[in-house]
Amino acid sequence: MNWKKIAIISLDVCIACYLLLAMTSWNKPDDHLNICTEVKIAIEEDIVDGFLTPDKVKQMLHKKRLYPVTLPMSQVNTRQIEESLCGEALVEKAECYKTQGGQVCIDIRQRIPVIRVKADNGDDYYVDSHGEVMPQTNYACNLIVATGHISKSYAGKTLAPLAKQLLGDNFWKNQVEQLNVLADGSVEMVPRVGDHIAYIGQPTNVASKLDRLRKFYRYGLSEAGWNKYSRVSVEFDNQIICKRRNYKAKK
């Protein structure tokens, strides 16, 4: 074996590794000298506006003394920031990371409210996209309001999926203003356009019922007038039952 050749190759490999490590360490910024100058907060958008804003997130961090601006980057604990934000009732997920430019970036997915419940028993709360009751908040949110005989179980299991279905369609999102739940669990819809009640009965086969109602709006009410009927029912399959409005005679 040519030991001299092996020694030269080994030495070359060691020198190459040393140079690579040296260049890497030279190019690495000194965290002790690098100061956090900015916090960038990105909140994921959804079908409706949530309650959180970047300013609200900053307040959360200030309250727990975790807002990192002016701190050395070496002292910014991204894991602690993530865990703190994920412990907030309105936050579903948080990711925090640092950049070489002295920035701390925070990406947030918030709990999204899909309906506001104002039940006959006095309960007033929001329900999120997972069917969970959300905490009371002072932030305004333009959502469908549900009234009537509503338990929290019904709100989470029945109203939340119905609301998500309505909000996922631009037509119904802009058309439905209120849902009213009757004592038997059936549902009335109060539209923004038209002076009538749309009755869908029990909230089953909702897609089919909404499709029939949409076609009736397009081909029926657009011709007859949006205020001709006081009640439009799509409760039964392949049927649309309308109740004509009673106009009082003028004296």
Side-chain angles (χ1 to χ4, degrees):
M1 296 179 66
N2 191 339
W3 293 105
K4 184 177 180 180
K5 185 175 181 180
I6 293 175
I8 292 173
I9 292 174
S10 300
L11 181 60
D12 288 341
V13 171
C14 291
I15 292 173
C17 291
Y18 170 78
L19 291 174
L20 179 62
L21 291 172
M23 291 178 64
T24 302
S25 63
W26 292 338
N27 290 330
K28 184 178 179 181
D30 190 343
D31 273 357
H32 292 282
L33 301 177
N34 196 6
I35 303 298
C36 176
T37 58
E38 184 182 10
V39 176
K40 287 190 173 181
I41 300 172
I43 299 176
E44 185 177 319
E45 296 182 354
D46 212 297
I47 53 178
V48 296
D49 295 331
F51 298 127
L52 285 180
T53 64
D55 285 341
K56 179 62 177 175
V57 176
K58 290 180 181 179
Q59 291 175 17
M60 293 175 180
L61 295 176
H62 275 299
K63 186 176 180 179
K64 297 186 178 181
R65 297 183 179 180
L66 292 176
Y67 194 66
V69 169
T70 72
L71 288 178
M73 294 296 277
S74 60
Q75 295 182 19
V76 177
N77 189 330
T78 56
R79 176 63 64 85
Q80 187 179 14
I81 290 175
E82 289 176 351
E83 291 177 350
S84 174
L85 290 175
C86 287
E88 296 287 340
L90 297 177
V91 177
E92 182 175 326
K93 182 180 180 182
E95 293 183 354
C96 180
Y97 56 94
K98 296 181 277 189
T99 71
Q100 291 186 357
Q103 295 176 338
V104 172
C105 300
I106 303 174
D107 297 333
I108 288 181
R109 180 191 303 158
Q110 61 180 318
R111 293 177 64 187
I112 297 297
V114 293
I115 194 165
R116 181 174 185 177
V117 174
K118 302 184 76 171
D120 285 352
N121 62 7
D123 286 345
D124 186 351
Y125 53 88
Y126 293 90
V127 181
D128 69 12
S129 55
H130 300 296
E132 299 292 332
V133 174
M134 297 183 66
Q136 290 288 348
T137 176
N138 294 325
Y139 291 88
C141 193
N142 185 22
L143 287 176
I144 297 171
V145 176
T147 57
H149 295 70
I150 305 172
S151 66
K152 291 184 177 179
S153 175
Y154 182 92
K157 294 179 180 179
T158 303
L159 286 182
L162 174 57
K164 285 178 64 177
Q165 189 168 357
L166 295 172
L167 293 172
D169 185 299
N170 283 332
F171 176 81
W172 294 115
K173 179 180 178 180
N174 294 312
Q175 172 66 356
V176 178
E177 182 175 32
Q178 178 182 341
L179 300 176
N180 186 53
V181 180
L182 305 181
D184 62 354
S186 60
V187 178
E188 299 174 328
M189 298 195 309
V190 180
R192 296 183 189 275
V193 179
D195 187 15
H196 63 273
I197 297 297
Y199 181 67
I200 65 173
Q202 296 297 325
T204 56
N205 300 320
V206 174
S208 175
K209 293 175 180 179
L210 292 178
D211 183 59
R212 273 184 286 133
L213 186 57
R214 187 200 301 260
K215 290 177 180 177
F216 178 70
Y217 282 166
R218 182 176 181 181
Y219 301 109
L221 293 188
S222 60
E223 297 293 333
W226 284 83
N227 298 323
K228 183 175 182 178
Y229 302 106
S230 62
R231 187 177 182 85
V232 177
S233 173
V234 290
E235 177 184 12
F236 303 110
D237 292 342
N238 302 316
Q239 293 185 30
I240 298 177
I241 303 173
C242 302
K243 181 179 180 181
R244 190 182 296 271
R245 183 176 304 281
N246 293 324
Y247 292 97
K248 294 181 179 180
K250 293 183 179 179
K251 294 184 179 180

